[in-house]
Every structure is written in structure tokens, then in C-alpha cells.
């Protein structure tokens, strides 16, 4: 058990190192990143000075070592435009993204699990047909467009909810709903097929045969076992949630990490871009690690070598 | 004279060969069998038909492009700005889906926008397919530390949220169709790699691989002749689904202004305009989104149907 967790941890560290290499190379895709950093009005000497200040005159492996040792301490260099450390910007915006992703995750669960269970239990019914087709169409819609449609409906037509910003509690409703729908669609399909598989098992038939109430069979015996693949899928979907937050934050002007990154790209602020990508990835890694560990604790049948 | 029925007799060897040859000549080829199965599945599957029709319409639209637009997609007319759907304008005729903030016909722009989606979707998933399949074959076939290293690399790419990666690369490399195709191509290989690697891993133990090895076939030939054809079904299904993902990513990037730039017409770019004018012109934010959704839906339907035809057991 503990060796499994240690193994898993070592794996995560290796993956984190590979991610750091990818992020390091990312800003060097076009060759010399100095072209991205330096303002166009800079003279040759000023550019040279900047190069030395950023350590870009050193060989690539030395640059990476410096980048890594600083990044571990949370130092990604100063933002180009306002001379504050990039990490401060990221930490300012992080709570907004986590709040949005958290609310969306809960919403997605609340929508998808009941729908999935219901359509599995009443297979072939109207509810099943409705939820399966809604899930198929939902997964095919770009999430920013779902956002636009919600704005059109709730803000423009009904004038119920504010379309932009983050001032009142109502402002989170639409972005969270937007972000959750795509994930809910995939989770509902997953829940449905997991439930169908469990409902076909012998022990369910036994339970029914000995006269247990339907509710008891479905919730106590079936759902508990179907929960395992759903939890795995949910862990993976959290990555999609964070991915989707980039564009959804842009649609609703939600001041999170995704919006910060888009702004940073607009101003070519590579310190913030690097810090942002790395923070996003580390969050996903941490979530996957936690899901895997919780998984072994929850399901006693799983034994890892 | 009566007709006499010939005595039954044993066939000569030459006749057996002759009849066997006839039977073989008239037997359906593998290709015909597949085609029959495909049409049978198609007739039985309304979803497959829907997918084929939707994809057919989109591809045809992309091919014909400007030839079938009712108006010139990029021609502005400031006198007919924000005309709602169904407006008939005295000089230029009917605007079925209305006009935008510069008086350009929305339907014509949607038709012209199909081209970017189709081209980017197909080309980028071809690139990522070749990359991912090569890496998956390699990892699954050789196993050991190569496989381990490759799997950690895919872990790393899965850890970076896809859109974050694509947005960052797009932002650094700058906009453009070719760049966009390359970005989506070089970031979308992970799913191919995983699936192909898994299948090759189990295939490696099977007799036909051992037999080919025993006959002294070189690894390259073995992979190409014997392993690759056996994973082809999964690859085709994955590639179809990847086209859908790429189209969604392309429209997202164009919506964010990091993808294909105006004056090239894209559905994502049209939706960005729609967001600007969402308070007054609902049609700008609505119709390009329907176009994207139907295209993606058709591609996914087609992928599901292909999976049923090629190998119902596939879990892709």
C-alpha cells in the first residue's frame, strides 16, 4: 500500500519534471525568447543587457537549471509590464479559478449522476432517450458557445443574471453552468454505462430475488459499485474543467488564471505565461495523484504491487 | 430415344480444381464483404446516416465555398448593418440568416467558414495521427524503458490542460492557418499513442508476431506488414474523433483571437463578433455555433458508426 503511494509519488515527480521541460522549451519555440521580451524600440545594447539580465546568454542546459531551481521556489521572474513578480499575479487570480472550477465540478456531479442513474434504471424510457441525446449534443457544443447562449437567454432576454464580471454571487452562476455542462454530459454517459453494467450482475439479481426494495438495490448495492469508474472519470474530467476555464473566463470576463494567461499572451509577458501553464499543470497532477490514492483507500479490492 | 441421366461418378482431380477455382472467383472478396457489412450497418443505423449526411454537407460546402454563397462573404454594406434573419434588401436580395455589424451576409460567411474548419480539422488530425501511431507502435513493440519513458511523456502532456497548452503555444508562435494546423497536430497525438501502444502490447505476445520473427523478418517490416494493419481499425476511429476535437479547438482559438485571423472567415471568429454585439443581434452569436455543433456531431456520429463497422469490440 505505502509502496504503491511512494511509487505513484515518484512517478508524479518525474512527470512534473517533464512538464517543466515542456514549459521551459515553450517560450523558446521561436528560437531566441529575447524577441518576445524586448520592446521593439530597444537598441542592440539594451537588448544585450536584457539578455544578460534574463540569463539568456548562457547555454541552454544552464538556463534550464536556473529556471528549475527558481521555479521550485516559486520564482518565475518579474512580469514584463509591471515590475511585480509573476507569481504574485498568478496567486491573485488562482482563487477565482479554483472557485469557478469547484462550483462547476459540484454542479456537474449534481446534474450528471442522477440523470445517469435514472436513465440506466429506466433504460429505453423517455428520460433515458432525453438524457442520452442531451449528453451527445452537449458534448458536441463548444463551451464558449454554450456561454453565449446562456447570456442571450438569461441576460439579454430575461434580464435575470449579470452577463459579465465577478462582483455579486449571481455572476458565478452562468460561467459555472457553462463550464459544467460539457463535463456533465460525459459524466452522465459514464454513469449510465457503469450502472448498466452493475445492474446486470448476479448479486443485483440475488438482491431483487430475495425481495429487497428497488431503492435499496439501486442506491446501496448498485450505485456504490458503479461509483468506482465514475470517480476515475471525474478525476480526469477535472483536467477538462480547468482547460475549459480558459475560454469560459474570457466569455464572462471572470478574473481568473485563464483570463490572466490570455492577457499575458496579448502583452507577450512570458514570465506570467510560464507561471500560468506550470500552475495549471501542477494542479492537474495533484488532483490525479489524490484521486489515485483515494481510490486505493476506497476500494479494498484494488491491490497494487 | 429417352434422355439418359448420366451415372453419378467421382470427380476427377482436374474437375475439383476447376470447380474450386470457379467458387473462389465468384466468392466475395474481403473488400466486398466489408462493403456489404458497412451498407447493412448503415441501413440499420439512423445515427450513421445522420453522420454521413452532416459530414457530407459540411465537406461539400467547404469544397464549393464561394461558388454557392448567396452573397459575397467579405463584402461590407454599411446601409444594411444588423439586418435580422429573413431581411430582404432592395439591392442585394434576401439575407436568410441576417447581416453582421458591417452589413456582411451571415449565411455566406458560415458557408465560407466551413473551409477553415474542414482543412484544419483533417490536416491536424492526420499529423497527430502519424506522430501518435508511430510513437505508440514504438512504445508498445519495444516495451521496457522506451515504453516507460514514452508513457511518462504522455502523462506530462495529459497533465498540461489541453487548451492551456494550445493557447500558450498559439500565443507564442502567433496566429495563422499553417501554425494552427501544426500546433493542433503536434499536441493531439497523446490519445493515439496510448491506444495503439495498448493494442500492440497485447499483440506482441500473439503467434503471428512470433512466427514472423521466427521467419527472420526485420522489425520495421514486421511492424508495417503485420502489426499496423491490425491496429488500423482503432486508428481510423480515433482519427475521426480527433477531427471533431480539432474543429472544436480551432474554433476556440479563433474565438479567442489566437487562431486564424480576419479577413479569413472562421466560425470561431464570427462568434467573437457575436459576443461583442450580443445585446442587439442574437443571430450573430447563434448561427455559427449551430454550424460548429452540427459539424462536430456529424463527425462523432460517423466515428461511432465506423467503430461498429470496423470492429464492434473496439473500446476507443
Amino acid at each position: 500500500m505505502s509502496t504503491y503511494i511512494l511509487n505513484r509519488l515518484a512517478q508524479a515527480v518525474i512527470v512534473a519534471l517533464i512538464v517543466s521541460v515542456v514549459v521551459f522549451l515553450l517560450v523558446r519555440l521561436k528560437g531566441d525568447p529575447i524577441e518576445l521580451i524586448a520592446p521593439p524600440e530597444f537598441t542592440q545594447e539594451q537588448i544585450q543587457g536584457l539578455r544578460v539580465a534574463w540569463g539568456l546568454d548562457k547555454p541552454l542546459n544552464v538556463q534550464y537549471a536556473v529556471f528549475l531551481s527558481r521555479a521550485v521556489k516559486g520564482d518565475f521572474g518579474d512580469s514584463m509590464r509591471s515590475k511585480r513578480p509573476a507569481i504574485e499575479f498568478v496567486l491573485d487570480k488562482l482563487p477565482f479559478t479554483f472557485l469557478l472550477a469547484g462550483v462547476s465540478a459540484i454542479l456537474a456531479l449534481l446534474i450528471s449522476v442522477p440523470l445517469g442513474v435514472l436513465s440506466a434504471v429506466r433504460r429505453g424510457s423517455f428520460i433515458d432517450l432525453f438524457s442520452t441525446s442531451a449528453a451527445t449534443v452537449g458534448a458536441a457544443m463548444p463551451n464558449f458557445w454554450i456561454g453565449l447562449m446562456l447570456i442571450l437567454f438569461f441576460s439579454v432576454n430575461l434580464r435575470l443574471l449579470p452577463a459579465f464580471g465577478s462582483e455579486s454571487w449571481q455572476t458565478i452562476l452562468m460561467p459555472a453552468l457553462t463550464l459544467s455542462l460539457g463535463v456533465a454530459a460525459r459524466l452522465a454517459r459514464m454513469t449510465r454505462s457503469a450502472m448498466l453494467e452493475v445492474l446486470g450482475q448476479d448479486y443485483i439479481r440475488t438482491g431483487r430475488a430475495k425481495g429487497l426494495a428497488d431503492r435499496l438495490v439501486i442506491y446501496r448495492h448498485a450505485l456504490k459499485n458503479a461509483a468506482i469508474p465514475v470517480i476515475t472519470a471525474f478525476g480526469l474530467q477535472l483536467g477538462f474543467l480547468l482547460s475549459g476555464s480558459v475560454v469560459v473566463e474570457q466569455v464572462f470576463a471572470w478574473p481568473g488564471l485563464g483570463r490572466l494567461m490570455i492577457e499575458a499572451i496579448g502583452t507577450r509577458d512570458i514570465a506570467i505565461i510560464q507561471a500560468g501553464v506550470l500552475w495549471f499543470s501542477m494542479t492537474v497532477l495533484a488532483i490525479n495523484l489524490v484521486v489515485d490514492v483515494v481510490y486505493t483507500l476506497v476500494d479494498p479490492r484494488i491491490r497494487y504491487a | 430415344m429417352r434422355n439418359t441421366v448420366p451415372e453419378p461418378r467421382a470427380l476427377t482431380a482436374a474437375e475439383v480444381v476447376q470447380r474450386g477455382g470457379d467458387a473462389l472467383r465468384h466468392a466475395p472478396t474481403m473488400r466486398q464483404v466489408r462493403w456489404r457489412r458497412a451498407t447493412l450497418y448503415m441501413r440499420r443505423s439512423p445515427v450513421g446516416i445522420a453522420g454521413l449526411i452532416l459530414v457530407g454537407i459540411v465537406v461539400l460546402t467547404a469544397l464549393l465555398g464561394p461558388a454557392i454563397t448567396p452573397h459575397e462573404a467579405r463584402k461590407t454594406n454599411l446601409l444594411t448593418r444588423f439586418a435580422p434573419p429573413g431581411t430582404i434588401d432592395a439591392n442585394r436580395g434576401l439575407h436568410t440568416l441576417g447581416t453582421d455589424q458591417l452589413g456582411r451576409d451571415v449565411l455566406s460567411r458560415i458557408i465560407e467558414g466551413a473551409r477553415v474548419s474542414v482543412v484544419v480539422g483533417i490536416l491536424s488530425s492526420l499529423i497527430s495521427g502519424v506522430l501518435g501511431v508511430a510513437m505508440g507502435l514504438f512504445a508498445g513493440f519495444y516495451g521496457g524503458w522506451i515504453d516507460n519513458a514514452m508513457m511518462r511523456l504522455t502523462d506530462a502532456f495529459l497533465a498540461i490542460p489541453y487548451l492551456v497548452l494550445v493557447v500558450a503555444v498559439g500565443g507564442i508562435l502567433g496566429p495563422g492557418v499553417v501554425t494552427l494546423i501544426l500546433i493542433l497536430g503536434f499536441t493531439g497525438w497523446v490519445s493515439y499513442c496510448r491506444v495503439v501502444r495498448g493494442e500492440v502490447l497485447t499483440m506482441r505476445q500473439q503467434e503471428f508476431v512470433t512466427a514472423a520473427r521466427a521467419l527472420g523478418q526485420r522489425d520495421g517490416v514486421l511492424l508495417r506488414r503485420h502489426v499496423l494493419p491490425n491496429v488500423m481499425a482503432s486508428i481510423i476511429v480515433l482519427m475521426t474523433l480527433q477531427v471533431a476535437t480539432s474543429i472544436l479547438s480551432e474554433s476556440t482559438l479563433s474565438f479567442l483571437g489566437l487562431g486564424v485571423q480576419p479577413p479569413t472567415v472562421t466560425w470561431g471568429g464570427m462568434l467573437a463578433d457575436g459576443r461583442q454585439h450580443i445585446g442587439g443581434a442574437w443571430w450573430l452569436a447563434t448561427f455559427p455555433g449551430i454550424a460548429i455543433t452540427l459539424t462536430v456531431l456529424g463527425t462523432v456520429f460517423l466515428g461511432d458508426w465506423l467503430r461498429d463497422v470496423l470492429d464492434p469490440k473496439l473500446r476507443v
Side-chain angles (χ1 to χ4, degrees):
Chain A
M1 187 64 196
S2 58
T3 50
Y4 167 71
I5 294 179
L6 278 180
N7 261 334
R8 190 66 190 69
L9 211 62
Q11 229 176 55
V13 171
I14 294 172
V15 173
L17 280 175
I18 301 177
V19 170
S20 75
V21 174
V22 173
V23 172
F24 172 78
L25 292 177
L26 197 69
V27 295
R28 288 165 175 76
L29 274 177
K30 250 191 168 173
D32 196 350
I34 201 76
E35 287 163 28
L36 292 174
I37 305 171
E41 67 272 13
F42 264 34
T43 63
Q44 221 42 50
E45 282 134 50
Q46 281 172 307
I47 288 180
Q48 194 51 41
L50 206 59
R51 201 187 294 270
V52 174
W54 277 69
L56 294 174
D57 50 339
K58 302 198 172 66
L60 214 56
N61 55 346
V62 178
Q63 285 184 37
Y64 175 69
V66 173
F67 167 75
L68 188 65
S69 63
R70 283 191 186 158
V72 169
K73 287 180 241 151
D75 177 9
F76 293 91
D78 285 349
S79 156
M80 296 309 300
R81 306 297 139 176
S82 56
K83 293 288 165 198
R84 279 168 63 205
I87 191 73
E88 277 183 22
F89 283 92
V90 172
L91 292 180
D92 275 355
K93 304 294 184 185
L94 212 54
F96 284 98
T97 295
F98 282 170
L99 180 67
L100 180 61
V103 173
S104 311
I106 294 169
L107 259 179
L109 276 181
L110 288 179
I111 298 170
S112 63
V113 173
L115 268 184
V117 171
L118 214 60
S119 55
V121 172
R122 299 202 195 143
R123 189 181 187 181
S125 70
F126 173 75
I127 289 182
D128 183 23
L129 191 71
F130 170 77
S131 85
T132 357
S133 27
T136 311
V137 177
M141 294 196 283
N143 57 8
F144 61 93
W145 185 59
I146 298 178
L148 290 180
M149 290 299 98
L150 288 178
I151 292 178
L152 209 52
F153 189 67
F154 288 110
S155 308
V156 178
N157 283 345
L158 299 180
R159 300 185 186 282
L160 269 178
L161 293 171
F164 309 110
S166 60
E167 287 76 36
S168 62
W169 65 269
Q170 290 111 317
T171 49
I172 199 176
L173 292 178
M174 279 201 292
L177 189 61
T178 305
L179 202 48
S180 67
L181 282 180
V183 173
R186 291 189 201 98
L187 272 184
R189 261 194 284 187
M190 191 72 219
T191 311
R192 179 177 181 271
S193 63
M195 272 301 273
L196 279 179
E197 196 166 333
V198 173
L199 285 175
Q201 301 284 321
D202 286 343
Y203 61 84
I204 297 294
R205 197 166 16 138
T206 310
R208 288 220 164 106
K210 74 176 184 181
L212 287 182
D214 248 11
R215 223 166 5 128
L216 204 66
V217 174
I218 292 166
Y219 293 108
R220 170 89 49 89
H221 297 281
L223 188 56
K224 246 186 175 173
N225 284 293
I228 294 161
V230 175
I231 291 174
T232 322
F234 183 62
L236 280 175
Q237 292 295 326
L238 286 176
F240 283 100
L241 260 183
L242 286 173
S243 186
S245 72
V246 176
V247 61
V248 170
E249 285 180 2
Q250 195 67 11
V251 172
F252 291 98
W254 182 261
L257 195 51
R259 199 167 159 76
L260 176 74
M261 288 223 6
I262 303 278
E263 281 168 12
I265 283 165
T267 55
R268 307 265 156 162
D269 206 332
I270 67 166
I272 289 184
I273 297 176
Q274 284 186 324
V277 177
L278 218 52
W279 260 97
F280 264 121
S281 317
M282 292 307 126
T283 311
V284 174
L285 265 181
I287 291 171
N288 288 343
L289 195 60
V290 170
V291 168
D292 272 6
V293 171
V294 166
Y295 202 59
T296 57
L297 297 177
V298 168
D299 190 351
R301 284 173 306 185
I302 298 175
R303 295 253 182 281
Y304 294 95
Chain B
M1 267 227 303
R2 284 187 305 143
N3 268 341
T4 49
V5 178
E7 288 277 307
R9 60 176 173 85
L11 295 174
T12 64
E15 279 170 330
V16 170
V17 171
Q18 165 82 37
R19 290 193 183 186
D22 285 349
L24 272 181
R25 259 190 298 285
H26 294 298
T29 60
M30 202 54 216
R31 178 167 296 183
Q32 282 169 326
V33 170
R34 283 215 185 106
W35 178 249
R36 270 179 215 168
R37 190 163 55 157
T39 48
L40 183 71
Y41 269 111
M42 186 52 102
R43 263 182 275 134
R44 278 197 201 146
S45 150
V47 168
I49 296 176
L52 207 62
I53 292 176
L54 283 173
V55 171
I57 292 175
V58 175
V59 170
L60 213 63
T61 311
L63 282 176
L64 297 175
I68 55 168
T69 53
H71 300 277
E72 242 179 87
R74 300 180 195 191
K75 189 165 182 189
T76 60
N77 180 359
L78 295 182
L79 293 174
T80 53
R81 299 168 65 220
F82 296 121
T87 303
I88 297 174
D89 139 30
N91 304 319
R92 292 168 66 203
L94 175 70
H95 296 289
T96 318
L97 300 181
T99 62
D100 68 1
Q101 72 278 7
L102 296 174
R104 297 173 296 195
D105 184 59
V106 172
L107 177 61
S108 307
R109 293 177 69 72
I110 288 181
I111 290 172
E112 193 162 321
R115 198 164 272 187
V116 170
S117 287
V118 168
V119 168
V120 172
I122 291 177
L123 288 185
S124 67
S125 39
L126 275 179
I127 294 177
S128 53
V130 171
L131 259 177
V133 169
M135 291 170 83
L137 281 178
F138 209 59
F141 192 73
Y142 290 105
W145 70 268
I146 297 180
D147 181 37
N148 243 320
M150 220 75 115
M151 283 305 101
R152 294 296 81 78
L153 189 65
T154 58
D155 280 343
F157 270 83
L158 285 176
I160 308 176
Y162 187 64
L163 215 52
V164 173
L165 180 66
V166 172
V167 161
V169 180
I172 285 163
L173 289 184
V177 181
V178 178
T179 328
L180 189 59
I181 292 171
L182 291 178
I183 293 171
L184 295 179
F186 279 88
T187 49
W189 52 270
V190 180
S191 55
Y192 295 99
C193 182
R194 288 250 157 162
V195 171
V196 169
R197 176 247 179 198
E199 291 196 2
V200 174
L201 215 56
T202 53
M203 210 175 291
R204 207 163 55 136
Q205 320 290 338
Q206 286 176 14
E207 280 89 354
F208 70 92
V209 174
T210 323
R213 271 237 179 87
L215 287 172
Q217 210 140 60
R218 274 178 299 133
D219 285 357
V221 182
L222 175 59
L223 278 173
R224 205 177 55 238
R225 280 257 193 81
H226 300 288
V227 178
L228 189 60
N230 280 297
V231 289
M232 216 51 210
S234 312
I235 295 171
I236 291 172
V237 174
L238 274 174
M239 218 173 251
T240 319
L241 296 178
Q242 184 68 27
V243 171
T245 314
S246 295
I247 289 177
L248 280 177
S249 306
E250 179 274 318
S251 66
T252 305
L253 279 178
S254 299
F255 175 75
L256 292 174
L258 299 169
V260 184
Q261 302 287 301
T264 308
V265 187
T266 59
W267 293 338
M270 291 176 73
L271 284 175
D273 289 343
R275 180 180 178 271
Q276 294 288 320
H277 305 284
I278 198 160
W282 59 269
W283 55 93
L284 295 184
T286 306
F287 296 120
I290 294 178
I292 298 173
T293 306
L294 288 180
T295 307
V296 172
L297 210 55
T299 318
V300 171
F301 284 166
L302 200 65
D304 285 349
W305 170 73
L306 276 173
R307 166 174 34 208
D308 292 345
V309 173
L310 294 170
D311 186 357
K313 293 192 300 283
L314 284 186
R315 287 186 173 265
V316 192

